[in-house]
Amino acid sequence: MDKRNIIAGNWKMYKTPKETEDFIKEITPKVSKARALVYIAPPFVCLPAALRAKPGSNFLIGAQNMHDELEGAFTGEISIKMLKSMNVDFVILGHSERRHVFKEDDAFINRKVLTAIKENLQLILCIGETLEQRENNQTDEVLESQILKGLKNVTPQDMENVILAYEPVWAIGTGKTATPQMAETAHCHIRKLLIKHFDKNIANQTNILYGGSVKPQNVSDLLNQENIEGVLVGGASLDVNSFAEIVNKG
Ligand code: PGA
C-alpha cells in the first residue's frame, strides 16, 4: 500500500489572523508539487483566516484542541460543534503541552477522542514519554498506557479517522530530536500495539507521525524510517521557507 506522508504544522500560540492568511497564500505555490498531505493547525481565532486562504491549496486546516462536550458552561473552551460549523478538517488531541502544562489526563483526552469520532472529525492523538520516563526505561509502557486509555472504546472502523503522533516530551521545542533509530523503535512499538489491540490492516493503514524538533535538516532521515509516515512540526512550521522545505521533502 502506498500511503502518503502527512506533514502537519502545529502553530501553538503564534500568529495573528492576518499573519495566517499571508502565510498560507505565500506557501501555497511553494508546495504545489508536494506529494505529502499538508495539515496546518493555527490558533482558534486564526481558523477563519486559514480556511479563507485555503482554496487553491490542498491544505487541511485543523484545531489544536477542543472540549469533549458539544456545549456547556465551560469558560474559555471551544466545542466540536463550533469547529464543525466552520468546516475544519481535523483536530489535535492530547498534545504534550495540553497534558503537562494544562494537566489534561488520559480519561479527558479519551472523551475528546470519542467525541471527534462520533462527530466524524479526523483527529491526531499525541502520545509520548517524558525524559524521566525514558531514563527509567518506561517508554514502552507509557506509550501502551496512553494508547490503551486514549483509544478506549474506539472500534477498528473508527480508526479510519485516527492519526497518531509520537512526540517524546523531551524533544519538543528543545532542539533535541530523537535520532531516527530512536523514533523508529518507538514507532515500531506503537505499530505492534495497534496490531495487538486492533489488527494488522488497521495498524498498517494508520499514519504514525513523529514530532519533536523536526527541521528541514532532519526530516528526510526521519521519514526514511519504515514506520514513520509523517511529522508534526512546531517551531519550524512557523516560517514559510522552512515549512515549505519540510513539506517538499515529505
Ligand atoms: P517542535 O514542536 O517542533 O517545536 O519541537 C513539536 C510539537 O509540539 O508538536
Side-chain angles (χ1 to χ4, degrees):
M1 189 175 48
D2 200 12
K3 212 162 40 172
R4 284 169 80 185
N5 286 331
I6 292 174
I7 309 294
N10 170 17
W11 287 359
K12 310 194 179 186
M13 201 172 71
Y14 292 97
K15 293 196 190 295
T16 62
K18 167 88 171 72
E19 288 165 348
T20 299
E21 204 162 345
D22 291 348
F23 181 102
I24 293 182
K25 287 192 174 147
E26 202 183 327
I27 198 171
T28 299
K30 293 182 194 271
V31 296
S32 61
K33 296 198 177 69
R35 185 176 178 278
L37 297 166
V38 183
Y39 286 47
I40 295 182
F44 287 125
V45 296
C46 299
L47 285 168
L51 290 159
R52 237 186 353 261
K54 173 175 115 146
S57 75
N58 294 320
F59 302 157
L60 295 165
I61 304 295
Q64 298 170 16
N65 185 30
M66 66 176 200
H67 197 272
D68 68 301
E69 300 273 351
L70 298 187
E71 58 186 12
F74 301 105
T75 301
E77 290 292 318
I78 299 286
S79 77
I80 194 166
K81 209 168 137 186
M82 301 165 191
L83 296 177
K84 288 210 71 176
S85 75
M86 298 170 69
N87 294 319
V88 307
D89 300 301
F90 71 96
V91 63
I92 298 175
L93 299 175
H95 187 275
S96 83
E97 283 144 23
R98 298 305 316 173
R99 291 178 188 265
H100 298 287
V101 184
F102 297 99
K103 307 292 173 219
E104 291 190 7
D105 62 14
D106 285 303
F108 187 29
I109 294 162
N110 177 244
R111 291 201 300 277
K112 300 180 190 215
V113 166
L114 294 174
T115 299
I117 286 170
K118 187 154 169 259
E119 300 296 319
N120 205 20
L121 183 64
Q122 193 175 41
L123 67 103
I124 302 178
L125 174 65
C126 303
I127 55 176
E129 81 287 359
T130 61
L131 183 59
E132 196 187 347
Q133 289 165 335
R134 173 162 283 267
E135 285 173 346
N136 289 333
N137 289 323
Q138 292 171 317
T139 302
D140 285 0
E141 69 188 80
V142 168
L143 295 179
E144 177 153 23
S145 157
Q146 288 176 338
I147 286 181
L148 279 184
K149 292 175 182 162
L151 296 179
K152 192 171 164 205
N153 294 325
V154 171
T155 68
Q157 294 87 303
D158 297 336
M159 286 300 289
E160 210 178 312
N161 264 334
V162 177
I163 296 162
L164 287 176
Y166 167 62
E167 298 204 300
V169 179
W170 47 270
I172 297 177
T174 57
K176 284 189 208 149
T177 329
T179 63
Q181 291 68 28
M182 276 161 105
E184 173 64 10
T185 303
H187 281 231
C188 206
H189 178 60
I190 294 166
R191 185 90 58 205
K192 285 192 187 133
L193 292 171
L194 293 178
I195 295 174
K196 185 166 140 198
H197 297 294
F198 296 101
D199 63 42
K200 207 165 176 186
N201 281 344
I202 301 294
N204 288 338
Q205 116 203 337
T206 307
N207 278 69
I208 309 175
L209 318 185
Y210 167 80
S213 298
V214 174
K215 308 257 176 297
Q217 298 79 351
N218 59 23
V219 68
S220 297
D221 284 346
L222 288 160
L223 290 174
N224 277 339
Q225 304 300 311
E226 194 181 331
N227 287 289
I228 303 183
E229 295 114 352
V231 285
L232 181 51
V233 190
S237 73
L238 294 168
D239 175 77
V240 169
N241 291 323
S242 80
F243 194 52
E245 205 176 326
I246 291 174
V247 168
N248 286 324
K249 286 182 173 171

